[in-house]
Amino acid sequence: VAPEIMAAILAANNDTAPSYGADAASTRLGALFADLFECQVRVFPVVSGTAANALALACLTPPWGTIYCHDTAHIVVDECGAPEFFTGGARLVTLAGVDGRLVAADLEAALAVAGAGNVHHMQPAAVSITQASELGTVYRPAEVAAIAEVCRRHAVRLHMDGSRFANALARLGGSPADLTWRVGVEALSFGATKNGALAAEAVVFFDPLLAATFAYRQKRGGHLLAKTRFISAQLEAYLKDDLWLRHARHANDMAARFVAGLKPLRGVQLLYPVEGNEIFLRLPAAAFAALQAAGFAADPWDETGLVRFVTAFDTDPADLDALLAALAGALAGALDGALGGSA
Ligand SMILES: Cc1ncc(COP(=O)(O)O)c(C=O)c1O
């Protein structure tokens, strides 16, 4: 947890405050996020990205709705069915896209044959895109706008999983509005936990009508905290003096430094463009044991040697350089082994 955010949590503990979001910090969130996004919003603090996504999506789809997302989307791979559960049965349909991002033309093709209006079919209801994507790439505003245009034509809602929204914004520049409602995003899961908060995400609705049932779903789903002020305090500290963007810039810079350090190394395959703070590599099997022996907890994700490295707001460049040195040694050893040489 970033020291500034931990300090804000402690400061919020100094007195007694009204409960369930009626405290001062929570009541300030509306104005804070309106300022940030340059428009009126409805905003709800929650403690996990899964809750943010599932509760937001539940506001965008009926139980008989279909939610379109990328093959790798957290909502379909890593949330244990929470979106299906909180929506009361909506179906997630995945599309391949490119480097972790959905492509407007693929979405158009899927929606064209979805059976809208046919009582026998699940009804297209929402699209969820992840910014930055699960594979560490970043949607350009024009890509989001193209997806939003398809959504508009087919009367489906557009949600953004912004668990790593800060990293995307730090990469692209511009304003939070430019990456969201100005290009057609209607609801955003605005992440803070992965960028220095203890446990804080904000669900932001750019159309207040879409938020009408959120509070009830949040309470019914067990996600309305009596001590909501501790989430709100984190969000305030996160946004204060652009802490969130400084954090994200640092994490992104560390990822870029890591990639630059990989360039001279043989035997390492960079799988996707590194545009945020995630680096996906393929390494020879022998390299993992050597990395672990050097004290790095690197585990392959699959039998092909896929591994993900994630840099953070507090990544120390010295640690990164030590990792690169260990990696260089591990790769040299692995290549040697493959060539039958001695270590
Ligand atoms: C893209 C994305 N969305 C949502 C989440 C969910 O966050 P949580 O673990 O807080 O539920 C994650 C966490 O890894 C994520 O990477």
Side-chain angles (χ1 to χ4, degrees), residues 47-51 53 74 79 130 132 134 161 163-164 194 201:
V47 290
S48 79
T50 300
N53 286 338
H74 201 270
E79 297 187 357
T130 307
E134 288 290 340
D161 176 351
S163 177
R164 298 179 195 279
K194 290 184 184 305
E201 317 280 312

Side-chain angles (χ1 to χ4, degrees), residues 53 57 65-79 83-84 90-98 100-103 106-107 110-111 124-131 133-134 139 147 151 156-161:
N53 286 338
L57 288 167
T66 302
I67 301 164
Y68 294 84
C69 62
H70 189 269
D71 282 341
T72 60
H74 201 270
I75 58 170
V76 71
V77 178
D78 290 306
E79 297 187 357
E84 291 91 330
R91 177 180 294 162
L92 297 175
V93 170
T94 63
L95 300 169
V98 173
R101 303 192 301 276
L102 284 186
V103 173
D106 296 349
L107 184 62
L111 285 166
V127 171
S128 181
I129 56 177
T130 307
Q131 178 74 312
S133 81
E134 288 290 340
Y139 283 94
I147 288 169
C151 291
V156 306
R157 301 300 188 181
L158 183 56
H159 166 256
M160 178 177 276
D161 176 351

Side-chain angles (χ1 to χ4, degrees), residues 312-332:
F313 74 95
D314 61 348
T315 296
D316 183 339
D319 287 342
L320 211 54
D321 294 345
L323 171 61
L324 282 164
L327 200 50
L331 287 165

